Each structure stands twice: as structure tokens, then as C-alpha cells.
Amino acid sequence: MKLTNRECEVARWVLRGHTAKQIARALSISPRTAETHLKALMLKTRARNRANMAAHLLLKGLVEFSLEDLKGYGGEDEA
């Protein structure tokens, strides 16, 4: 399975715990577009929820992500 560049970007934001609205703001896209990318990720990973999707993405090595990606992350107010 291959992810698009944008799906990879969205996935990284999901792994940081962001909502679709926060992802949209961070990537300068509409919330609807963010939701479309999230749905595509859910379908591609056959996930039941975002936690399951995140686990699948990490375990299959579909998205590069490390603890450094969380550096500076302060919670809900970010993005």
C-alpha cells in the first residue's frame, strides 16, 4: 500500500493527536479536505478508528515518525 504525500502529512498530524479541524488549519486546507484524507487513510489501513489507524501506520512503517516529531508539542492549542 502506498500513501500520497498529503496522506503522509495528515497521518503525522494524527499521530500527534490533532483533530481534522486542527490538521486543516496546520496544512492550510479545508476541514472537509482534511476529513477526505482521513477517510482515505482509514480505508487504506482498514482501521476501525484513529487509534487503530495510527497503530497500523506505525507498525507497517507507512509513516516515518519519532519522538522528535513530538518535540515542542504542547497540546490542543497547537496547529
Side-chain angles (χ1 to χ4, degrees):
M1 161 189 3
K2 181 128 172 78
L3 301 181
T4 66
N5 290 338
R6 188 58 109 180
E7 287 170 346
C8 287
E9 287 180 301
V10 169
R12 284 188 203 95
W13 285 99
V14 169
L15 293 171
R16 291 182 188 109
H18 290 281
T19 65
K21 187 176 179 181
Q22 292 169 322
I23 293 167
R25 219 176 10 238
L27 298 178
S28 299
I29 59 176
S30 75
R32 187 172 180 157
T33 300
E35 286 289 346
T36 298
H37 291 302
L38 288 166
K39 286 178 187 175
L41 287 166
M42 295 287 281
L43 286 171
K44 286 183 176 185
T45 60
R46 297 182 184 166
R48 294 181 305 274
N49 53 50
R50 285 191 191 192
N52 186 243
M53 177 183 65
H56 184 89
L57 291 167
L58 291 171
L59 291 171
K60 296 290 184 180
L62 296 172
V63 174
E64 290 185 24
F65 192 81
S66 71
L67 293 178
E68 282 296 310
D69 291 315
L70 294 173
K71 192 172 188 177
Y73 175 68
E76 289 295 318
D77 295 331
E78 299 230 353

